[in-house]
Amino acid sequence: MSRAWDVVVIGAGSVGTPAAMCIAEKGLSVLCIDPGASSGQGSNKCAIGGIRATHSEPAKVRLCLDSLETFSGWRGAHGDDIAWVRGGYTYVAYDDEVEKLLKDMLPVQKAAGLDIGWLGPEGISSIVPGIRMDGLRGGTFSPGDGSASPMSSSSAFFRMAVSHGAEFRFRESVTGFESSGSGVTAVITDRGSYACGAVINCAGANAREIGAFLGQDIPVFPDLHEAGVTEPAARFFEPMVVDIRKAPGSSNYYFYQHETGQVVFCITPDPPILGTYREETSGFLPLVARRMVDLYPRLANLKVRRTWRGCYPQTPDGSPIVARMDPGNCYSAVGMCGQGFMLGPGVGALLSRMITGSLLPGDGEVLQALRPDRPWGGQEALK
C-alpha cells in the first residue's frame, strides 16, 4: 500500500469513468479500478449510443439534461470527436393506451426542464419520412436528445480524467475491503491494496457483488438485451424512434441512424432474460426485424452487419440508486437499467458534488428520488 487516495472508484464503465473525471477535476486524488483491459469494456461497449432526457422520472430527466450538456459541448470544449448528433427522440403512439401515457407524462417532463412536445401524424411523418401512417396517432418529440459513440466517449472521458491526475488500474478485480469504525480504509483487489478516504461502487452488472463485500443488500439484478447494426445508407431520418407497444416476445424496441449512416437498433425482451450471459441468440433478429419493418418499411432492404448482447443492471422500479451508503464513506451509483451511458456524465458530476459537499439546488430532490430505501412499488414508464 504505497499511498492513500481520496477516492477509489470501482468500475471504469459508463458511470465510473466520468465519475473519476469529475472528481479529479475537483482536485481530489482518484483511483479507478476495473477488471477490463481499458475503460468502457463492460456494458458501456454494448450500448447503442442513444442519449435522452426523455424519462418519466424527474430525477432522471435532470441528470440526463446535465449529461446532454456534456455530450453536446464536448467537441467544442475539448476537441474530441465523440460522434455526437442531436437528432432528437420520438416516442410514437398507435393506440389509445400509449397515446394517453405519453401525453400524461408531458407536464411532468416539462416541469423537470425537458424540451418536449406532442406532434400529430404529419409532424411525426416529417421527421421520420415513410413511417407507417395507418393507425398513427402522433407522438412526443424531444429535439435536444441525441446520440454519441459509447467507446469514443469513454476514451475521451478517460483521457480527461487522466489529465486531471486520476489513475486507473485495469485487469484488477475487487476482492474485499478493509474497514474501521469510521468506514472503509482500503480497497483490496487480486493484485493489491489501496488506502482510501472514500469508495464509490460503479460496478454495473457486478454492483450487488461489490455491495455484499460491504454488508450492503443492493437490489440490482442484470437482465439481457440484444442489439444490432446495419450497413450504412444515405441519411433518411433523424431521431431515435421508440415504439413502446407490447408484442409477443418484446415490450418495446427502438432504432436510429448513426452519423455513419448505419441504423442501430435494440429490443426489450418480454419476459426479461435474467443473467449476465452475453452470447447473442438466433431468435433476436427475426423478432426485432418484423417489428421494425412493420413500423418503418424503408428499413426492409438494409443488410444487418452484426448483432450483440449486453447486460442491463435493473432495479425493481427502473431507476438507479445514487446514494451515500453505510459504512459512511461509501457511495453507490448503480442500477442504471441499461441507461448508464446517457446517465453517466450527469451522475458523475453529482457524485463529485456529493463527495466535496457542494450540492446544488435540486440535487437533494434527485438524491431523495434515487435513495436505496425508497418504496419500490412504482415503475419508470420509459425505462
Side-chain angles (χ1 to χ4, degrees), residues 25-71:
E25 286 175 344
K26 297 280 190 180
L28 300 183
S29 61
V30 181
L31 175 66
C32 189
I33 301 170
D34 193 277
S38 62
S39 66
Q41 292 301 310
S43 296
N44 178 83
K45 72 177 181 181
C46 299
I48 71 169
I51 305 162
R52 61 179 165 97
T54 305
H55 300 279
S56 65
E57 166 54 62
K60 293 173 71 175
V61 174
R62 291 168 181 164
L63 288 171
C64 283
L65 285 173
D66 287 349
S67 290
L68 282 164
E69 190 172 330
T70 298
F71 284 111

Side-chain angles (χ1 to χ4, degrees), residues 27 48 68 109 143 156 173 182 207 217 221 312 315 335:
I48 71 169
L68 282 164
Q109 293 168 326
S173 297
S182 60
D217 184 13
F221 305 94
Y312 277 36
T315 62

Side-chain angles (χ1 to χ4, degrees), residues 84-120:
W84 164 254
V85 175
R86 193 185 295 277
Y89 262 67
T90 181
Y91 281 73
V92 295
Y94 282 87
D95 59 40
D96 291 336
E97 181 181 359
V98 172
E99 181 179 4
K100 182 178 187 309
L101 175 67
L102 295 176
K103 286 182 173 178
D104 286 350
M105 281 190 288
L106 287 172
V108 174
Q109 293 168 326
K110 290 178 179 180
L114 181 64
D115 177 15
I116 189 169
W118 180 265
L119 299 179

Side-chain angles (χ1 to χ4, degrees), residues 93-247:
Y94 282 87
D95 59 40
D96 291 336
E97 181 181 359
V98 172
E99 181 179 4
K100 182 178 187 309
L101 175 67
L102 295 176
K103 286 182 173 178
D104 286 350
M105 281 190 288
L106 287 172
V108 174
Q109 293 168 326
K110 290 178 179 180
L114 181 64
D115 177 15
I116 189 169
W118 180 265
L119 299 179
E122 295 301 326
I124 297 296
S125 178
S126 70
I127 57 174
V128 192
I131 194 169
R132 182 167 64 86
M133 297 295 288
D134 182 29
L136 178 63
R137 309 293 188 87
T140 59
F141 180 55
S142 42
D145 294 339
S147 62
S149 164
M151 292 306 297
S152 296
S153 299
S154 182
S155 295
F157 299 155
F158 167 76
R159 290 191 296 270
M160 186 60 62
V162 170
S163 75
H164 285 283
E167 295 191 30
F168 288 75
R169 298 283 190 273
F170 295 115
R171 296 189 174 92
E172 289 195 43
S173 297
V174 173
T175 58
F177 298 87
E178 292 179 2
S179 60
S180 67
S182 60
V184 170
T185 57
V187 178
I188 312 301
T189 76
D190 53 2
R191 296 178 63 183
S193 176
Y194 304 100
C196 62
V199 62
I200 308 176
N201 182 355
C202 298
N206 298 316
R208 186 171 177 79
E209 174 187 342
I210 298 299
F213 289 141
L214 295 163
Q216 300 165 355
D217 184 13
I218 299 178
V220 172
F221 305 94
D223 66 19
L224 295 159
H225 295 229
E226 293 187 61
V229 61
T230 73
E231 63 186 349
R235 180 161 295 278
F236 59 102
F237 70 106
E238 293 295 332
M240 177 81 77
V241 180
V242 188
D243 183 357
I244 61 174
R245 290 175 294 170
K246 287 182 179 276

